Amino acid sequence: MTVLAAAVALFGSLFFALGAALQQFEAAGAGSAKPSLLALLKKPRWLLGGVSITAGGGLHILALGLGPLTVVQPMGVASLLFALPIAAGLHGRRPSRKELAAAATVAIGLIGLVLLVPPHEGPTHLSPNGAVTLLAVAGVAAVLLWAGARVASPAGRAALLATSAGVLYGATATLMRVLVDGSWNWWYLLALPVPALLALMLLQRAYAVGHFGVSFASLQIADPLTAVAFGALLLGEPLPQGVVPIAAAALTAAGTIALARTTPLESRT
C-alpha cells in the first residue's frame, strides 16, 4: 500500500503542477498586471487548470488514506519539479539546469520542514476568538505583503504576491482542518470562502508577473508554513525543534532566491 500511496501522490503532484502551469500561462497572457478573475473564468485553458488542481488535491487526499504522511508529503512537494518544465514548455522554451537545481533545493528544504513537524494528537479546537484572530492576522499579513509587492522588482513582486496568497491559503487550510476534525461554529463555514477567494485573486496577479518558478515556489513554502504556524499558535500543535528545521528553512530560502535570479520572465503578448 505504501508504494501505491507514493504513486497516487506523485500523480496528484503532476496534476497540480499541470493546473498551476496552465493557469499561469493564461494569467500571464491576460494583458494586464491585474487580471480579472471573471475574465480568467471565461478561458477554457484556465478552467482546465482549475480542474487539474482539484484532481491533484483529490489524489493527494486519497494517497493520505493509503499510506503514511512521511511518504505522501514528499511526493506532494515534487509538484514544483514538474511545474517548471511544464510551464517552460507552454512558453516555448526549456528550463535551464540552474532553474531545476534551484527548484530541487526548494523541494529538499520544504520536504525537510514538512516531515519535521511533530504529529498532533487529540481533537482540534478553535474558539470564536481564535478564528477571528486567525482571519485578522492572515489578512493583515496578506495586505502588508501585497503592499510590499507594489514597490518590488518583478521577481520580488511575484514572490510577495504568491506569499500573500500562500498565507491566506494557509489560513483556509487551518479553518478547513477545524471544520473536518474539531469543534466549530456555523460562521466558520461561511467565512471559509473569503480567504480562499482572495488568495486565488492574489495568486493570479503573481502569475501575471511572469516569474512562474518564483511565484509557485513561494506559494508552496508559504502555504504549509502558515498552516503550521497557525496550528501552533491557535490549535496547540507542536513545532519542530532543533537546528535541522533552521537548515531546511535556509535551503528553501536559498532555493527561492536562486529561482528569482535564474527563472526568466514568462509572459505572453
Side-chain angles (χ1 to χ4, degrees), residues 115-265:
L115 295 184
L116 287 169
V117 177
H120 174 61
E121 302 292 340
T124 301
H125 174 72
L126 182 65
S127 68
N129 286 340
V132 171
T133 300
L134 167 71
L135 295 173
V137 170
V140 170
V143 168
L144 291 175
L145 289 163
W146 168 80
R150 294 173 65 86
V151 297
S153 65
R157 184 159 64 251
L160 290 171
L161 287 171
T163 301
S164 180
V167 168
L168 292 171
Y169 275 134
T172 303
T174 304
L175 268 182
M176 181 66 74
R177 189 158 72 249
V178 173
L179 289 171
V180 172
D181 296 333
S183 57
W184 47 276
N185 287 13
W186 63 270
W187 67 266
Y188 293 11
L189 191 60
L190 297 178
L192 186 66
V194 176
L197 183 59
L198 291 174
L200 181 61
M201 295 170 63
L202 285 165
L203 185 59
Q204 300 316 305
R205 290 192 180 187
Y207 285 163
V209 174
H211 288 276
F212 176 65
V214 179
S215 55
F216 193 65
S218 299
L219 174 70
Q220 282 214 308
I221 294 168
D223 183 353
L225 292 189
T226 300
V228 168
F230 280 137
L233 293 173
L234 300 175
L235 305 180
E237 296 179 351
L239 283 173
Q241 304 290 329
V243 178
V244 178
I246 298 175
L251 271 180
T252 61
T256 304
I257 292 171
L259 273 176
R261 293 175 175 174
T262 58
T263 303
L265 192 68

Side-chain angles (χ1 to χ4, degrees), residues 28-40:
S32 170
K34 301 177 182 179
S36 166
L37 190 56
L38 290 177
L40 291 173

